Amino acid sequence: MPISNLLRSTSHCASSRACRILPRAFAAGCLALCTALCSAASIRGLVTDAAGAKVTGAAVSLVANGHVVGSAVSTADGSFQIFTGTSGRFFLIVSAKSFRQLQTPDFYAGQFDSVERNIVLEPAWVRESIVVTATGTPTPQPQTSAATTVIGPLDLVLRDDFTSELRLMPGASAVQSGQSGAATSLFVRGGDSDDNKMLLDGVDIGDLGNQFNFGTLSTTAIESAEIYRGPDASLYGAGADSSVVNFTTPHGTTSFPSLLFQGSAGNLFTSREELQVAGSRKKLDYLGAFSWLQTANNLPNDEFHVATSAANLGWALNGTTQLRATLHYGVDATGVPNAWDFYHIADDATEKDQDIFLSASVDNQTTASLHSVVRYGLTRKREQDSRWTTPGIFQSYNNYCFGPAYLGSIVTITGANGYSATGQAVLDCSTFRVQYVSNRDQAGYQGDITITPHLAGLAGFQYEDERGAEPGSTYYTPVKHINYFIPLAVHGDFKDRFFYTLGGSIEHYSLFGLQTSPRAGLNYYVLRPRSGAFAGTRVLFNFGEAVREPKLTDQDDSLYNFLANNGAQSTIQALHISPIAAPAMRSYEGGVEQSFLSQHIVFKTSYFHNEFGKEIEYVGLDLIPELLPNLTPAQQQTLEQILQANFAYELTINSEAFRAQGIETSVESGIGSNLFLRGGYTYLDAVVQRSFTNDDEALLGPIPTWQNIPNGIQIGPYAPLEGARPFRRAPHTGYFTATYANKRITGIFSAAFASRSDDSTYLEGEDASGMSSLLLPNRNLDYGYAKLDLGGSYQWFSWIDVFAQAENLTDTQHIAPIGYPSLPFTLRTGLRIHWGPGSGR
């Protein structure tokens, strides 16, 4: 009844004290209620499924300090709103029929704040995550055309590093040249290992020129990783040619300090300890972590240890503005015994790294439509490569060393293609110590605005100051780059059925000037997700272009600079050699995704076609006499000795072009609420279209063939020949994982497969006679493999669980490239102990 009618109805009982009090009390109560609601925090938003359809009837609970303090049910348009009379840290729990229950990250809301939290629910049986790398803003995977794989907390809980996990995705191949701690490269869809943009909390953490070693990267304080397959330079600048790998740091969520300690031990004298403290209090959330890993591996001089420290501090000024800073500091050292199978004598060498990654940001939701981030990033990377002694068999003179040499033992090298050679290879020429420095400071702004419910735009600006050097070397000079780029993009849909992303960037780089990088992605639902045998069909298309900076060593070892500095202008003109430039790529992709049995099964397949041009090749020192015809033999030898003394055994040139196309497939399925299955297969057809060695045969003479190789097979000693496959990219790769999780037990089985791949022993001119008898045909030189891993954990008490991880169950020795024995079967077991309220301690 309206209040005015209620007051009129009480006029007949004015003599009654109760009747006089009733309307006044009722009016006062209404006024108090309005005042409370107007001064209370408001949490509101939309609940949709992954395809953008509104979800009606979803139960939304607001939780603070472990208690439900408010709730709502989404209406017909998917909206909800919850009021709370208190300020503090909250999170939402959302559930609806046929969807997996979702818990949002925690957030702060002040007494007068209005907080927007849109919710995207996943199907109950498959995983469709929110991703950022595809559009620059959080977007459900089914609304993007991009091929993106998410490595989540459950995937990482038993892992020490990322090498094995990177093999468990379509289109990707992780190659580790040795055992734990050895250099690990990622090849995506046929691209080079330098074609991947590496980000940690939005900050570029790669070396100058994109080189990155996954072998020493610890999983400590890394919550998840997105791997975007394809070029996305329009959002992330030079280097995002084949993929973008985006790591994120977790933050504290509990309203009390929570401590986690885990310790484990295994064979090969392996041990790992980790301590983590995290929590939140009012406007502050915090996390600190430290871990230590050490192992002896199973080769001489191959010990590895890594210490990782990390911190994440967040401060909410209010419900719409947050300050955050994350810091990662890693120190590692690993022995480098070299390619053991080529020498059977371990090199006395080490590689050490000291890396600092810092991200500091201000995140502001200015209005419900406008979101802005200002970020500063700092990257400091130091690497020292040292050879302390020369343990090989002494030889007074060798042509490769231009003097004394130290040889390995007499060995027989056998490739997966069946060819073999017997002899002694040069292990060392001398001792050395060299340091590499990569410094980067970057500052930028990114703003995204929702123009309509079906159209959003993004714009930004980023400035980079890069410095690199090799201190202590007389041959190299410091490098300084001032770069900037402006990304522009729109993302939207028509009637929640046709989704699109259009973007481009204007980029300026000190090394190679102005560039543009366009990108387009289209995604159309032929059949929207629904129940039934065929539960949804969508088709997708992607196009993109990208460039990348050459590595620091590529610039320093430029063939053009070397020839120009030594009076070889005629060679420059005859071979059309130019200064080192930016490699470039262009990509096309088309595919289809089909859901079956009410989205219990999701099948994806796509065709990709990538063109790589101006790729960097390496010209060996053995070609110097031909490239410098005007110098006397003594002058040539002097130059070669100078290069060798500075470890420039090869010179660089933009002379290679290749094409990589293939079919990428994956299938996911959930059985019940506890078992999740995932598998995939990729066929890669990559072929070299242009090569320095082939193009300049007229000048350099016929490509040599070696007498120990039947039928005069031609060999590319440093790079693949025209018509051959690029090195270390297997034409067939696949994976399978099965994950089971309930309240007490977690089990994870994974298998990664790869066929034989092309490679080289790289031993041109490096045998005991200074010849090349230890080269083998490139085709199928690396062995194929199947790597099987099994791990699990059991919640013994509420505050302690036990876990175990077994890797390489079949003891495969040829997971690494030829010459490098793989880590054998390993087993590690340990305890994980929790302290804090609710843990029983």
Side-chain angles (χ1 to χ4, degrees):
M1 178 184 297
I3 293 178
S4 58
N5 292 344
L6 179 61
L7 291 175
R8 286 195 294 270
S9 69
T10 60
S11 60
H12 69 278
C13 58
S15 62
S16 168
R17 180 178 177 85
C19 289
R20 290 197 302 270
I21 294 175
L22 177 61
R24 297 175 184 175
F26 188 85
C30 292
L31 180 62
L33 177 61
C34 291
T35 302
L37 291 177
C38 291
S39 62
S42 168
I43 292 87
R44 61 187 180 186
L46 293 175
V47 182
T48 64
D49 65 13
K54 308 300 186 293
V55 177
T56 303
V60 185
S61 299
L62 182 67
V63 181
N65 298 321
H67 302 285
V68 176
V69 296
S71 62
V73 176
S74 61
T75 60
D77 64 353
S79 64
F80 71 92
Q81 186 168 21
I82 303 174
F83 292 97
T84 177
T86 61
S87 62
R89 304 197 72 86
F90 305 91
F91 63 86
L92 298 172
I93 296 178
V94 187
S95 58
K97 184 179 179 181
S98 300
F99 293 96
R100 182 182 296 111
Q101 187 180 79
L102 173 70
Q103 177 178 317
T104 69
D106 73 319
F107 56 90
Y108 174 82
Q111 185 177 4
F112 303 102
D113 290 338
S114 179
V115 179
E116 296 282 337
R117 283 295 181 272
N118 293 328
I119 309 298
V120 178
L121 295 178
E122 300 177 349
W125 304 281
V126 296
R127 297 178 181 176
E128 294 177 334
S129 302
I130 304 295
V131 295
V132 177
T133 51
T135 62
T137 59
T139 306
Q141 281 180 312
Q143 295 182 30
T144 74
S145 58
T148 306
T149 299
V150 177
I151 300 175
L154 185 60
D155 302 310
L156 299 176
V157 67
L158 299 176
R159 298 289 193 187
D160 297 330
D161 58 40
F162 286 89
T163 302
S164 295
E165 208 56 44
L166 290 171
R167 297 186 176 110
L168 303 177
M169 64 185 70
S173 177
V175 178
Q176 187 167 33
S177 299
Q179 303 185 356
S180 292
T184 302
S185 301
L186 177 66
F187 300 91
V188 177
R189 290 183 169 181
D192 285 335
S193 60
D194 300 330
D195 290 339
N196 311 300
K197 191 75 165 183
M198 311 303 303
L199 303 174
L200 175 57
D201 300 320
V203 174
D204 186 347
I205 61 173
D207 293 347
L208 271 65
N210 258 34
Q211 189 173 25
F212 190 84
N213 178 12
F214 287 92
T216 58
L217 181 65
S218 170
T219 57
T220 298
I222 293 182
E223 181 178 41
S224 63
E226 291 181 23
I227 294 86
Y228 172 100
R229 302 185 298 282
D232 206 358
S234 63
L235 284 179
Y236 301 103
D241 290 24
S242 291
S243 77
V244 178
V245 182
N246 187 13
F247 300 103
T248 57
T249 305
H251 65 269
T253 58
T254 58
S255 58
F256 47 82
S258 175
L259 295 175
L260 169 66
F261 171 79
Q262 58 181 348
S264 62
N267 61 335
L268 303 179
F269 302 98
T270 301
S271 65
R272 184 177 188 271
E273 298 78 35
E274 180 175 345
L275 178 64
Q276 177 179 295
V277 58
S280 63
R281 180 173 175 79
K282 296 183 179 179
K283 295 185 177 184
L284 174 70
D285 65 79
Y286 54 90
L287 176 140
F290 174 80
S291 69
W292 170 264
L293 167 70
Q294 61 183 13
T295 181
N297 288 314
N298 77 330
L299 293 175
N301 299 341
D302 199 17
E303 295 84 1
F304 169 61
H305 67 257
V306 56
T308 303
S309 304
N312 187 346
L313 295 176
W315 179 265
L317 296 179
N318 50 49
T320 60
T321 304
Q322 184 176 75
L323 310 180
R324 183 164 300 280
T326 64
L327 175 68
H328 288 250
Y329 177 50
V331 179
D332 64 81
T334 180
V336 185
N338 213 320
W340 171 263
D341 289 342
F342 294 167
Y343 310 103
H344 285 186
I345 296 177
D347 214 343
D348 182 18
T350 59
E351 178 186 322
K352 299 180 180 180
D353 300 278
Q354 306 86 42
D355 299 332
I356 300 175
F357 309 128
L358 170 68
S359 171
S361 63
V362 180
D363 189 302
N364 175 254
Q365 187 73 46
T366 309
T367 67
S369 300
L370 178 61
H371 173 249
S372 300
V373 178
V374 177
R375 176 177 285 109
Y376 165 74
L378 175 148
T379 299
R380 299 290 186 268
K381 306 187 74 172
R382 303 291 184 271
E383 178 185 332
Q384 299 87 37
D385 293 341
S386 305
R387 182 185 296 141
W388 306 103
T389 64
T390 50
I393 301 169
F394 180 76
Q395 184 184 37
S396 60
Y397 185 85
N398 185 278
N399 290 335
Y400 176 75
C401 294
F402 304 107
Y406 301 85
L407 308 178
S409 301
I410 298 176
V411 298
T412 297
I413 300 173
T414 303
N417 52 22
Y419 292 101
S420 63
T422 301
Q424 276 182 291
V426 175
L427 177 63
D428 297 323
C429 293
S430 63
T431 60
F432 68 83
R433 185 176 185 185
V434 62
Q435 179 173 223
Y436 304 95
V437 175
S438 289
N439 294 333
R440 181 184 296 106
D441 292 275
Q442 60 185 70
Y445 165 81
Q446 178 178 298
D448 56 88
I449 183 170
T450 302
I451 302 169
T452 74
H454 301 281
L455 177 64
L458 177 147
F461 176 83
Q462 182 161 301
Y463 170 90
E464 291 183 342
D465 181 356
E466 298 182 324
R467 290 91 64 200
E470 298 184 40
S473 173
T474 58
Y475 181 74
Y476 300 100
T477 57
V479 171
K480 182 177 176 64
H481 298 154
I482 300 296
N483 309 322
Y484 62 84
F485 74 96
I486 302 172
L488 300 168
V490 293
H491 174 70
D493 70 273
F494 292 105
K495 298 183 179 180
D496 295 326
R497 198 177 190 100
F498 176 77
F499 298 87
Y500 60 90
T501 298
L502 304 173
S505 62
I506 302 172
E507 310 163 27
H508 184 274
Y509 298 94
S510 295
L511 187 63
F512 49 86
L514 192 67
Q515 298 283 338
T516 58
S517 297
R519 178 181 168 240
L522 308 176
N523 180 18
Y524 177 67
Y525 274 92
V526 179
L527 180 66
R528 287 188 53 81
R530 61 177 186 175
S531 60
F534 292 91
T537 304
R538 68 173 178 138
V539 295
L540 57 90
F541 170 79
N542 289 301
F543 165 79
E545 293 182 351
V547 296
R548 72 168 173 85
E549 287 186 294
K551 298 194 296 290
L552 176 63
T553 52
D554 292 340
Q555 299 173 54
D556 290 333
D557 298 340
S558 165
L559 176 62
Y560 176 90
N561 292 342
F562 174 79
L563 295 175
N565 293 335
N566 290 280
Q569 294 296 333
S570 60
T571 301
I572 291 175
Q573 295 174 1
L575 299 182
H576 306 290
I577 296 173
S578 59
I580 203 73
M585 74 90 66
R586 177 177 295 171
S587 175
Y588 302 89
E589 177 188 3
V592 62
E593 175 184 295
Q594 178 65 56
S595 299
F596 300 96
L597 304 178
S598 303
Q599 292 186 280
H600 280 67
I601 301 173
V602 176
F603 172 80
K604 303 176 184 178
T605 185
S606 61
Y607 164 78
F608 58 87
H609 183 100
N610 302 330
E611 291 285 348
F612 298 88
K614 296 183 180 180
E615 294 296 317
I616 294 174
E617 283 188 286
Y618 300 91
V619 180
L621 290 181
D622 57 299
L623 294 179
I624 295 300
E626 287 84 358
L627 295 175
L628 299 174
N630 296 327
L631 298 184
T632 66
Q635 291 173 323
Q636 293 172 358
Q637 182 170 329
T638 299
L639 280 173
E640 291 170 350
Q641 289 173 332
I642 292 174
L643 289 171
Q644 192 174 72
N646 290 278
F647 319 110
Y649 297 108
E650 301 164 332
L651 301 175
T652 57
I653 181 174
N654 295 95
S655 56
E656 186 182 61
F658 65 94
R659 177 263 295 156
Q661 63 180 351
I663 303 293
E664 189 177 278
T665 62
S666 66
V667 61
E668 297 181 357
S669 177
I671 301 177
S673 59
N674 302 113
L675 182 61
F676 179 70
L677 308 176
R678 185 168 65 94
Y681 163 77
T682 300
Y683 168 69
L684 175 66
D685 174 24
V687 62
V688 174
Q689 299 164 314
R690 182 175 180 271
S691 167
F692 175 83
T693 305
N694 289 98
D695 286 356
D696 301 308
E697 182 176 340
L699 174 71
L700 303 178
I703 299 172
T705 58
W706 314 111
Q707 293 182 358
N708 62 314
I709 304 302
N711 304 320
I713 297 175
Q714 293 182 336
I715 297 173
Y718 300 107
L721 304 177
E722 288 184 13
R725 299 191 297 238
F727 289 167
R728 299 186 177 181
R729 271 148 277 193
H732 305 278
T733 56
Y735 66 92
F736 172 78
T737 67
T739 304
Y740 177 84
N742 63 21
K743 292 183 178 180
R744 299 180 70 90
I745 299 175
T746 298
I748 304 173
F749 171 78
S750 64
F753 311 92
S755 64
R756 295 180 297 174
S757 57
D758 291 10
D759 207 342
S760 174
T761 63
Y762 297 98
L763 294 176
E764 183 170 33
E766 296 186 41
D767 63 17
S769 302
M771 301 299 288
S772 302
S773 61
L774 295 176
L775 286 176
L776 297 177
N778 305 124
R779 188 72 170 183
N780 290 332
L781 189 60
D782 288 340
Y783 287 83
Y785 66 84
K787 182 177 184 290
L788 311 181
D789 302 336
L790 178 65
S793 65
Y794 175 73
Q795 191 78 38
W796 196 356
F797 299 106
S798 61
W799 55 276
I800 187 171
D801 60 277
V802 297
F803 64 90
Q805 174 76 3
E807 299 204 27
N808 196 8
L809 298 177
T810 57
D811 202 28
T812 301
Q813 298 297 299
H814 293 293
I815 299 172
I818 187 170
Y820 297 91
S822 302
L823 199 66
F825 168 80
T826 60
L827 175 65
R828 183 171 56 88
T829 61
L831 297 174
R832 189 178 293 113
I833 302 173
H834 313 258
W835 281 274
S839 66
R841 299 290 293 204

